[in-house]
Amino acid sequence: MPSTGANGASSSDHEVVSVMVRKSKDHETWDGTEQIQVEKPEYSDDSAGEAFGMLEDIPGLIMDEDVFDSVGSFIASALQAVSPWAWIVRLSTLYENGSRASYTGWLAAPRVVVTSGRCLFDPSRGASREVLVEPANTDAPAGSWMIRSSEFKMVKGWVNSSIPECDYGAVVLPGPGLTGIGHFGLAWLPGSRPKEEWLNVSGYPSDIDDALQWYEGFQVSNTDERFLRRARGSRALAAGSPLWLYMMRNGRAQRYVCGMVDSNANSGEALRLHREFYDNLIDWIRTASTAAPAATPVAVPDAAPEAPAESNAGTNG
């Protein structure tokens, strides 16, 4: 019998499904990705000093006077070509019914952009037909250069039942993807962590200006097996925005995502990078990394700019 999570989802709800074509069988079967065994580190509560809440150092960072436990700032365009801002992208989704919506995504690998489940399947709009991925690390005007993708990863629990803990998915970019700029690491933090720790979050909130990247730092007030919570709602969060902290690896502090803002962005609650979420991301990253690229990225409408001269491709930091 499948195991059941804290919010009613069983382990089978996190099975991968295809939503590229709307047929009933697509919501019941696997998409054919090979399940490859890879290292899956577990970071436990007793690992003192392994992870620590450290806010990003941003010139002009302001304290939000209305929300005493948070800080926030727009990310200037001059900063967006460097980590971690270059790893956070703006998404424009075209749904089956012809409507479009904007979301945020983040790089977990050069070809894998993680985002909320609603970005790829909205019960009221249908499945995504295509997603335009706009990298932050470009000097071009907003909306002038994007990568088009129609390859997605989803799980049954979101497509079939909109289960909140299954509100995640991924856009797979045409090869080679966004190389030369690095990407976030992944941290599954079981137990109470990161309760009372400070996390970083950044994205493109539509309630302010979805052409601008907004950053916040906030303290986690409570956790359970699947979700992270804060004492108050955020000033501005966007669905699909990553939550990250620093972890010491290989003698230096590196950035690791431990959660993500879900579709209910203004609730003050975020989806934790729980066991099933983490496992699926590892499999999607490994599959995308080992598969032969189908095509080079398609720029819309301009050619892709050259990657920055200094990079940490294939790493997080």
Side-chain angles (χ1 to χ4, degrees):
M1 179 180 295
S3 59
T4 302
N7 290 274
S10 68
S11 57
S12 64
D13 287 319
H14 297 275
E15 292 179 356
V16 180
V17 294
S18 170
V19 294
M20 293 181 66
V21 181
R22 283 294 301 276
K23 296 180 181 179
S24 59
K25 66 179 181 179
D26 291 333
H27 303 290
E28 300 295 335
T29 59
W30 293 80
D31 69 351
T33 55
E34 182 181 359
Q35 300 302 297
I36 303 174
Q37 294 300 314
V38 296
E39 182 182 0
K40 299 174 181 177
E42 300 179 8
Y43 308 124
S44 60
D45 289 339
D46 59 0
S47 55
E50 283 272 326
F52 50 95
M54 184 171 72
L55 297 184
E56 297 291 343
D57 185 13
I58 304 173
L61 189 68
I62 60 173
M63 176 68 74
D64 189 329
E65 297 178 356
D66 297 323
V67 185
F68 66 90
D69 59 350
S70 72
V71 293
S73 176
F74 284 113
I75 304 302
S77 58
L79 296 176
Q80 292 185 16
V82 299
S83 59
W85 321 117
W87 309 340
I88 302 167
V89 298
R90 189 168 65 133
L91 307 178
S92 177
T93 298
L94 175 63
Y95 291 102
E96 281 182 306
N97 69 354
S99 64
R100 279 196 178 272
S102 296
Y103 296 90
T104 295
W106 49 277
L107 284 171
R111 294 188 62 205
V112 178
V113 176
V114 186
T115 187
S116 68
R118 191 172 297 275
C119 174
L120 304 177
F121 183 87
D122 188 315
S124 65
R125 306 185 190 198
S128 172
R129 291 166 54 184
E130 71 171 20
V131 173
L132 299 179
V133 179
E134 182 179 8
N137 62 318
T138 174
D139 293 329
S144 65
W145 183 72
M146 296 183 179
I147 298 173
R148 189 193 311 271
S149 176
S150 57
E151 183 179 352
F152 315 121
K153 300 294 185 180
M154 289 294 296
V155 294
K156 288 182 178 179
W158 182 256
V159 174
N160 293 342
S161 307
S162 297
I163 298 174
E165 69 183 65
C166 301
D167 187 5
Y168 62 92
V171 179
V172 180
L173 301 179
L178 291 169
T179 60
I181 61 175
H183 54 80
F184 287 103
L186 306 176
W188 172 54
L189 299 173
S192 63
R193 299 195 63 190
K195 183 178 179 180
E196 299 182 354
E197 294 183 58
W198 283 82
L199 299 182
N200 301 274
V201 58
S202 192
Y204 295 86
S206 59
D207 56 347
I208 295 183
D209 185 343
D210 64 8
L212 298 174
Q213 189 176 154
W214 172 266
Y215 164 82
E216 286 196 22
F218 67 86
Q219 192 172 29
V220 176
S221 64
N222 200 4
T223 66
D224 61 32
E225 186 179 357
R226 297 289 189 264
F227 296 94
L228 305 172
R229 298 178 180 87
R230 57 179 299 174
R232 299 188 182 186
S234 176
R235 176 177 177 180
L237 288 182
S241 299
L243 280 67
W244 71 92
L245 75 173
Y246 282 82
M247 302 187 74
M248 291 301 299
R249 288 291 182 270
N250 300 321
R252 66 188 182 97
Q254 302 181 57
R255 298 173 178 95
Y256 283 75
V257 169
C258 63
M260 183 179 69
V261 178
D262 56 22
S263 296
N264 191 10
N266 296 321
S267 66
E269 182 175 84
L271 182 63
R272 192 171 185 167
L273 193 61
H274 54 70
R275 178 82 259 184
E276 294 87 355
F277 188 0
Y278 178 90
D279 284 352
N280 275 333
L281 286 185
I282 291 292
D283 288 334
W284 298 344
I285 291 167
R286 190 59 176 269
T287 300
S289 299
T290 57
T296 56
V298 178
V300 183
D302 300 324
E306 294 183 358
E310 295 183 4
S311 67
N312 57 341
T315 64
N316 61 84

